[in-house]
Amino acid sequence: MLEPRRTLYGSLDCIVIDGGPSPKVLVVLCHGYGAPGTDLASLAFEWITLLGEDAGDFRFVFPAAPQTLAEMGMPDGRAWWPINMAQLAQHVQSSSFSELHTAVPPGIDEARQTLSDSITAMKAEMGVPDAPLVLGGFSQGAMLTLDTALRGTIDPPQILILFSGTLVCQSHWNASLSRLQQTRVYQSHGNVDPILPYSSAVALSQWLSEAGIETEFHSFRGGHTIDGESIETTAQWMNALPRDA
């Protein structure tokens, strides 16, 4: 049985699950707004099963966001930056998506730097300076990891996974799109998502594709969640990464 362990990377408390004793590939997945730091850790076991005999090449890390939502009645809830949920709902209800796409969330710069520092520490501990990086997240975590891939102080990931994310910071992100020329982007979104609109996910996919970024967009019938096909496909992408024997 693979035993998860807790490790502090930079200032972030993380759950680490290794597929074997000598991992060569780093997979970092960031949870969404209001979730606990443990929220996505079970995905590591699904990926390890799908990766089969190659699972030993992978280390899975799940950072907990730095901000607590205990004062909002969510004692285990965490956030990468504050979200005005009422304002977000208003954007969705009024279909004012252009405002959502151009908004720069207050606190995203600090969150990006914190995650970049944490990933730098993860790579240093692995002792594999050129370890391939799979970076991704769900919802707010997807927004953060795309922002980090575009504007962070780390090298861009080989694979970027965007589960139920959306387009924000568009004017800032436009200037950095060339950083993703060597990155494969996997994006999935439920077509009845009541929180982050499906049409905004389509806009994000089109924006990436028009910039020449290799992007696969997976639409599924469902809400604000991750479906099984997304897990299977991302495992296949991970297994196709070149790595040392």
Side-chain angles (χ1 to χ4, degrees), residues 232-244:
E232 293 174 7
T233 303
T234 48
Q236 293 168 6
W237 282 31
M238 291 179 201
N239 213 12
L241 281 171
R243 49 196 186 270
D244 294 335

Side-chain angles (χ1 to χ4, degrees), residues 103-105 107-110 112-113 116 143-154 156 168-177 179-180:
V104 179
I108 194 172
D109 292 340
E110 294 81 359
R112 179 182 67 249
Q113 188 59 56
S116 295
M143 300 177 218
L144 171 62
T145 51
L146 177 52
D147 188 63
T148 301
L150 288 169
R151 301 198 293 160
T153 55
I154 59 169
V168 294
C169 300
Q170 188 170 9
S171 60
H172 294 276
W173 287 357
N174 280 335
S176 305
L177 270 172
R179 277 175 53 90
L180 297 184

Side-chain angles (χ1 to χ4, degrees), residues 91-169:
H91 284 318
V92 173
Q93 291 169 7
S94 63
S95 298
S96 55
F97 301 139
S98 61
E99 294 180 41
L100 174 65
H101 298 168
T102 57
V104 179
I108 194 172
D109 292 340
E110 294 81 359
R112 179 182 67 249
Q113 188 59 56
T114 297
L115 181 60
S116 295
D117 292 344
S118 181
I119 292 172
T120 298
M122 294 174 200
K123 285 198 165 189
E125 187 197 64
M126 281 184 73
V128 186
D130 298 324
L133 173 64
V134 179
L135 179 62
F138 174 76
S139 193
Q140 190 185 53
M143 300 177 218
L144 171 62
T145 51
L146 177 52
D147 188 63
T148 301
L150 288 169
R151 301 198 293 160
T153 55
I154 59 169
D155 291 334
Q158 280 67 39
I159 295 174
L160 180 64
I161 300 172
L162 306 175
F163 293 137
S164 298
T166 197
L167 179 59
V168 294
C169 300

Side-chain angles (χ1 to χ4, degrees), residues 9-234:
Y9 289 118
S11 61
L12 296 181
D13 183 28
C14 302
I15 293 175
V16 183
I17 301 171
D18 286 339
S22 302
K24 304 178 182 68
V25 180
L26 177 62
V27 182
V28 181
L29 200 68
C30 297
H31 65 78
Y33 178 86
T38 57
D39 185 52
L40 300 177
S42 63
L43 293 182
F45 299 104
E46 295 186 55
W47 275 323
I48 286 169
T49 298
L50 291 165
L51 288 164
E53 62 184 15
D54 294 308
D57 289 341
F58 293 83
R59 167 170 290 173
F60 301 92
V61 183
F62 303 88
Q67 298 187 16
T68 178
L69 299 178
E71 292 185 358
M72 298 177 61
M74 293 183 278
D76 296 323
R78 314 292 301 181
W80 296 100
W81 60 82
I83 290 181
N84 185 328
M85 297 304 291
Q87 184 180 63
L88 175 60
Q90 184 177 8
H91 284 318
V92 173
Q93 291 169 7
S94 63
S95 298
S96 55
F97 301 139
S98 61
E99 294 180 41
L100 174 65
H101 298 168
T102 57
V104 179
I108 194 172
D109 292 340
E110 294 81 359
R112 179 182 67 249
Q113 188 59 56
T114 297
L115 181 60
S116 295
D117 292 344
S118 181
I119 292 172
T120 298
M122 294 174 200
K123 285 198 165 189
E125 187 197 64
M126 281 184 73
V128 186
D130 298 324
L133 173 64
V134 179
L135 179 62
F138 174 76
S139 193
Q140 190 185 53
M143 300 177 218
L144 171 62
T145 51
L146 177 52
D147 188 63
T148 301
L150 288 169
R151 301 198 293 160
T153 55
I154 59 169
D155 291 334
Q158 280 67 39
I159 295 174
L160 180 64
I161 300 172
L162 306 175
F163 293 137
S164 298
T166 197
L167 179 59
V168 294
C169 300
Q170 188 170 9
S171 60
H172 294 276
W173 287 357
N174 280 335
S176 305
L177 270 172
S178 61
R179 277 175 53 90
L180 297 184
Q181 290 299 323
Q182 304 301 317
T183 297
R184 297 183 73 191
V185 179
Y186 182 85
Q187 183 190 355
S188 69
H189 211 97
N191 59 11
V192 289
D193 189 331
I195 298 175
L196 293 177
Y198 178 77
S199 59
S200 289
V202 172
L204 172 58
S205 176
Q206 292 174 342
W207 175 74
L208 290 167
S209 297
E210 288 169 1
I213 310 303
E214 183 181 353
T215 305
E216 180 173 325
F217 179 67
H218 168 59
S219 168
F220 62 92
R221 179 151 188 83
H224 199 59
T225 188
I226 303 170
D227 75 328
E229 184 175 335
S230 296
I231 304 305
E232 293 174 7
T233 303
T234 48

